[in-house]
Amino acid sequence: MKEESKCADPSVTELPGVGPARAKLLAELGVETVKELLQLSPLRLESTGTSASCAEAAAEVGAVVQIKAEVVRTRFFRRGGKQSVFTAFLKDSSGTIEAHWFNQSWLRESVLEGAKVTVAGRVGLTKKGKPTLVVPRIGNEEKPLPAPDGWEPVYPTVDGIGQGLLRGLCRLALKSGLELTERVPHELLDRLELPTLMEAARVLHEPNDLALFSGARRRVAFEACLRMQARLQRRVRGDVTGHALVVERDEAQHEAILNLLPFTLTGDQARVVEELRLDLARSTPMRRLLQGDVGTGKTAVAFYALLAAAKGGGQAVIAAPTELLAEQHFSVLSPLFKQAGVKCQLLTGSTPGRERSQLLRRLASGELQVAIGTHALFSDKVKCKRLAVAVIDEQHRFGVAQRTRLLEKGRDVHVLLTTATPIPRTLALSIYGDLDVSVLKEKPPGRGKVTTRWLKKSDGARLLSFLSERLEAGEQVFWVAPRIAAESEERGAIEAHARLSSSSLASHGVVLVHGALDASLRQERLAAFRAGESRILVGTTVIEVGVDVPQATVLVVEGAEHLGLAQLHQLRGRVGRGSGDSWCLLFGKESAAERFELLEGTNDGFEIAEEDLRRRGMGDLDGLRQSGGGIDPEEDLDLLLAARDVVATHPALVEAYLADEAMNEKELSP
Ligand code: ADP
Ligand code: MG
């Protein structure tokens, strides 16, 4: 690192090997400076493997081991397409063991017979019951494996930033000599049994003692809690004024917007709309989180905000996490905007270049009033003349950094975030710190009931006749497989589609959608499904968020054990949107029985989230965990509460944190 930057908080680009491209990816992890890197919490630690002989390893199925051995023979087996298995037979003086890798055909050239290798991984069993190393890591002289019997951090990553790179960078950051300032009084740290921030960073990035890891992670989380609470204080003190567009309350306008909707708002929707109207009528930018279970009608509330902004003389954007959902919002909302005389356009990653540049021009000139899109809307190229409202739909699906970027960009913009991830309200309030929260609990009236059943493989034939009955009655079917293509014995969406297309149900029209499809094809197929021309939609979990087709009454999920509780609940939200009864039918392994039974027992997302919390922590709410800067809402609840007390009793600490933020803002803004 360069000498002069030692005292401040240098950008990550000061680290060797980090150029602008990597810096951008790191920013997605919320890391822009070296100090932020030092405070990046690993998700967990991974064993580097207990040092073992081949015989010891073979006797310890389930263990993570590290073995030095000779490759006596290899075998390569292609299953068709890109599917392949590479096997190495390893031997040392104690005995032999196999190792398997899937779809890594290049290993044929690097793992050769007679070679001496070090491999580290978990011992599993082959189908025939022989012990095998499952996809172990391989070390050689150039790239040795980390020493056995130790620990390695596993960081949150994004595409393009691997574990190896992050580990290296974090170690470099430790060596840089940069010290993290400790602002928390020592007696307080002692009371909470937390190390100092710098001690914590050392433990996190160069762990050698599992027992210290949890305290270190909590110290970093505590820092995030403190910062958040400091920001909250500032807001409470009214330091945030801002210059957001004031949308005056106008009763005629209000009625006109409501009249555009094809239904009457539920009591909950009407209440939230009132909250929105109050927010929009102030120059303090709105920061509101709208939390509502799947199907509670968040889109209508978002639509209100968008149209009110446009009618009030501003521009408005809504960003959805998938192209599919953005396309759906566009097809549902654009006719309403048109009726209201408001210009509206779609912007996603698939928008053709010419259309895109025209749209960007129209946004910049202020002619275009509403843009509906994906994270493409966050791009630096998107400049609005007078952006008044930004809605981030299903906000937990966006990266922390994307969301932050939008909030930064829109310092003077009213922001509405929506989420279907139901979290207990109290936690939401503390975690989001400086957000106001609105909750939609009530579902629109006249919905049929949704029955959930966990099926056995042997129910397959009965299922087919049940589906045929539903289809004959004019209803439609979602069929979900977690993967696009097959992997080992697991079927993917492509295979499911092929199978259904040659079944007795084929005449009802079977279409396939997944993330790797061309956008226009996907839109075409979804439109056909929506119109009822194709009545069975096979897909991956791309349909999880928001796809809204009321006449679909049956959802079948294969390989459901791969999906978390919250995700399954979201998927289930695809049915039960019409007045008829609906079914959610799950095929999945015994290992996830508890999850399936819970879903069979309740349709209430809040109950599911709370039960999930009780059973196994916030596993499914990872997005939330990330958005809290490494805070684990369950384990760290005491820290959140402690942070609240600390900022209340240590005004100097608040000032110090706010001064840090002000510095950062200055440094980071161009
Ligand atoms: P989500 O909260 O999951 O985003 P949506 O906004 O997609 O839910 O709404 C789900 C369905 O409910 C849509 O078909 C929508 O048209 C319908 N809907 C929303 N609000 C009402 C309402 N007040 N009355 C009747 N139907 C409604
Ligand atoms: Mg929605």
Side-chain angles (χ1 to χ4, degrees):
M1 194 173 307
K2 289 171 207 153
E3 206 51 37
E4 68 270 24
S5 51
K6 261 195 181 162
C7 47
D9 186 6
S11 153
V12 282
T13 50
E14 301 280 308
L15 294 170
V18 183
R22 277 185 175 162
K24 216 164 158 188
L25 293 172
L26 285 169
E28 280 182 41
L29 293 171
V31 172
E32 296 187 343
T33 69
V34 178
K35 282 190 181 170
E36 283 169 350
L37 184 64
L38 283 171
Q39 293 176 71
L40 178 68
S41 251
L43 299 170
R44 58 192 156 84
L45 295 184
E46 199 169 70
S47 163
T48 58
T50 316
S51 142
S53 67
C54 289
E56 283 164 344
E60 273 218 66
V61 174
V64 178
V65 297
Q66 194 170 125
I67 298 177
K68 278 191 189 350
E70 184 183 334
V71 179
V72 285
R73 189 159 66 81
T74 64
R75 186 177 64 201
F76 181 71
F77 174 64
R78 208 178 267 292
R79 284 183 180 161
K82 289 199 177 104
Q83 308 282 312
S84 67
V85 186
F86 179 73
T87 309
F89 297 85
L90 307 173
K91 178 171 183 278
D92 65 9
S93 58
S94 73
T96 60
I97 190 166
E98 300 178 13
H100 285 104
W101 292 266
F102 303 105
N103 310 332
Q104 299 188 24
S105 50
W106 62 88
L107 288 176
R108 277 181 299 176
E109 277 102 60
S110 55
V111 178
L112 302 173
E113 283 180 19
K116 298 243 188 316
V117 292
T118 311
V119 289
R122 189 173 295 280
V123 185
L125 288 175
T126 62
K127 273 196 189 140
K128 288 182 186 146
K130 275 171 77 184
T132 180
L133 288 163
V134 188
V135 197
R137 292 163 66 187
I138 314 168
N140 53 32
E141 253 169 47
E142 270 159 51
K143 272 200 167 175
L145 290 181
D149 307 309
W151 298 97
E152 266 190 314
V154 179
Y155 297 96
T157 50
V158 290
D159 280 350
I161 298 275
Q163 288 298 337
L165 180 69
L166 268 177
R167 286 172 183 155
L169 288 177
C170 288
R171 279 194 297 262
L172 273 174
L174 277 182
K175 289 208 188 78
S176 71
L178 207 65
E179 286 284 326
L180 294 171
T181 318
E182 185 55 69
R183 300 203 187 281
V184 181
H186 278 268
E187 74 273 5
L188 191 62
L189 289 180
D190 287 346
R191 182 145 55 80
L192 293 167
E193 298 181 11
L194 295 174
T196 66
L197 204 50
M198 197 60 217
E199 282 162 3
R202 284 195 197 97
V203 172
L204 292 180
H205 306 305
E206 283 183 339
N208 43 32
D209 185 346
L210 198 56
L212 295 178
F213 179 73
S214 140
R217 188 196 62 73
R218 276 167 54 85
R219 175 63 192 92
V220 169
F222 189 47
E223 193 70 4
C225 292
L226 285 168
R227 284 183 191 284
M228 212 179 296
Q229 291 296 328
R231 277 200 300 270
L232 181 60
Q233 280 274 314
R234 178 177 54 181
R235 209 172 144 80
V236 170
R237 285 192 320 221
D239 294 1
V240 181
T241 44
H243 308 279
L245 182 78
V246 173
V247 182
E248 300 290 354
R249 288 168 67 100
D250 174 335
E251 294 312 315
Q253 200 66 263
H254 176 65
E255 288 302 317
I257 298 179
L258 297 187
N259 283 336
L260 281 174
L261 291 170
F263 43 70
T264 316
L265 293 184
T266 64
D268 273 1
Q269 285 171 323
R271 185 176 41 74
V272 177
V273 161
E274 285 309 318
E275 290 171 347
L276 273 177
R277 294 179 74 196
L278 287 175
D279 288 345
L280 297 180
R282 292 190 310 199
S283 60
T284 308
M286 166 172 80
R287 293 288 180 266
R288 186 168 290 280
L289 175 69
L290 172 59
Q291 202 184 312
D293 203 354
V294 284
T296 48
K298 296 182 290 296
T299 318
V301 175
F303 169 72
Y304 186 98
L306 299 171
L307 187 49
K311 283 295 184 183
Q315 289 172 297
V317 300
I318 174 168
T322 63
E323 294 200 359
L324 202 66
L325 186 52
E327 287 152 13
Q328 171 177 288
H329 281 335
F330 185 74
S331 76
V332 172
L333 299 181
S334 63
L336 304 183
F337 283 121
K338 193 163 178 204
Q339 245 177 297
V342 163
K343 298 194 187 78
C344 162
Q345 226 174 315
L346 177 70
L347 176 70
T348 70
S350 308
T351 306
R354 209 149 44 103
E355 211 175 306
R356 166 184 305 254
S357 39
Q358 181 228 20
L359 180 145
L360 292 179
R361 254 196 328 274
R362 293 180 74 207
L363 267 182
S365 74
E367 182 207 347
L368 184 62
Q369 293 157 288
V370 175
I372 296 178
T374 55
H375 66 273
L377 287 168
F378 299 147
S379 142
D380 291 336
K381 298 214 178 73
V382 177
K383 298 232 161 38
C384 294
K385 178 131 190 245
R386 42 169 197 287
L387 185 60
V389 165
V391 179
I392 309 186
D393 194 25
E394 306 281 352
Q395 63 93 22
H396 55 285
R397 292 311 200 86
F398 288 98
V400 191
Q402 283 176 329
R403 208 164 29 202
T404 315
R405 206 173 310 149
L406 191 94
L407 289 178
E408 289 283 301
K409 214 177 185 175
R411 224 164 266 225
D412 289 321
V413 174
H414 296 296
V415 178
L416 177 68
L417 305 145
T418 82
T419 185
T421 299
I423 37 175
R425 187 185 152 87
T426 43
L427 286 182
L429 286 172
S430 1
I431 290 156
Y432 286 101
D434 50 0
L435 292 183
D436 296 316
V437 181
S438 299
V439 181
L440 291 181
K441 273 209 145 184
E442 188 183 350
K443 294 224 167 132
R447 296 279 172 90
K449 80 174 196 303
V450 182
T451 308
T452 301
R453 285 283 168 268
W454 175 30
L455 302 184
K456 304 274 161 310
K457 275 229 168 82
S458 55
D459 293 325
R462 265 207 355 229
L463 173 66
L464 225 54
S465 68
F466 173 72
L467 292 182
S468 151
E469 228 172 80
R470 299 324 321 156
L471 290 160
E472 294 297 337
E475 297 166 18
Q476 298 183 210
V477 175
F478 284 115
W479 188 292
V480 173
R483 300 196 166 95
I484 297 181
E487 207 164 286
S488 62
E489 88 270 40
E490 203 80 53
R491 227 183 4 230
I494 292 176
E495 290 76 22
H497 174 253
R499 212 171 39 109
L500 287 167
S501 301
S502 59
S503 76
S504 55
L505 305 178
S507 60
H508 296 285
V510 191
V511 282
L512 173 68
V513 297
H514 53 70
L517 275 187
D518 192 51
S520 57
L521 202 55
R522 199 173 51 217
Q523 279 168 40
E524 208 173 279
R525 291 178 181 176
L526 197 68
F529 184 67
R530 205 185 296 285
E533 290 153 18
S534 307
R535 311 254 303 287
I536 304 175
L537 181 77
V538 182
T540 55
T541 51
V542 291
I543 70 150
E544 175 185 338
V545 275
V547 172
D548 184 40
V549 181
Q551 62 277 24
T553 58
V554 188
L555 167 78
V556 180
V557 184
E558 288 188 279
E561 75 276 7
H562 293 293
L563 304 174
L565 201 46
Q567 215 177 358
L568 285 167
H569 178 66
Q570 287 260 341
L571 271 173
R572 179 167 62 176
R574 294 319 105 218
V575 295
R577 294 182 161 243
S579 56
D581 287 345
S582 292
W583 291 266
C584 165
L585 306 171
L586 307 171
F587 285 103
K589 295 207 173 113
E590 193 67 38
S591 57
E594 253 192 299
R595 252 177 282 164
F596 303 150
E597 281 158 12
L598 183 57
L599 288 164
E600 284 181 331
T602 179
N603 277 317
D604 181 336
F606 280 77
E607 207 177 296
I608 287 174
E610 274 174 45
E611 188 57 33
D612 194 29
L613 254 175
R614 260 198 296 282
R615 285 182 192 214
R616 47 181 220 96
M618 302 283 274
D620 282 328
L621 306 180
D622 272 343
L624 177 65
R625 183 176 292 164
Q626 283 169 21
S627 66
I631 302 169
D632 183 322
E634 189 187 24
E635 265 184 51
D636 304 334
L637 191 56
D638 62 324
L639 297 180
L640 282 163
L641 298 175
R644 201 180 296 177
D645 290 347
V646 172
V647 296
T649 50
H650 294 70
L653 207 59
V654 177
E655 291 315 317
Y657 281 119
L658 292 180
D660 271 1
E661 300 238 320
M663 279 263 293
N664 269 343
E665 276 169 21
K666 241 183 273 145
E667 273 171 22
L668 297 176
S669 60

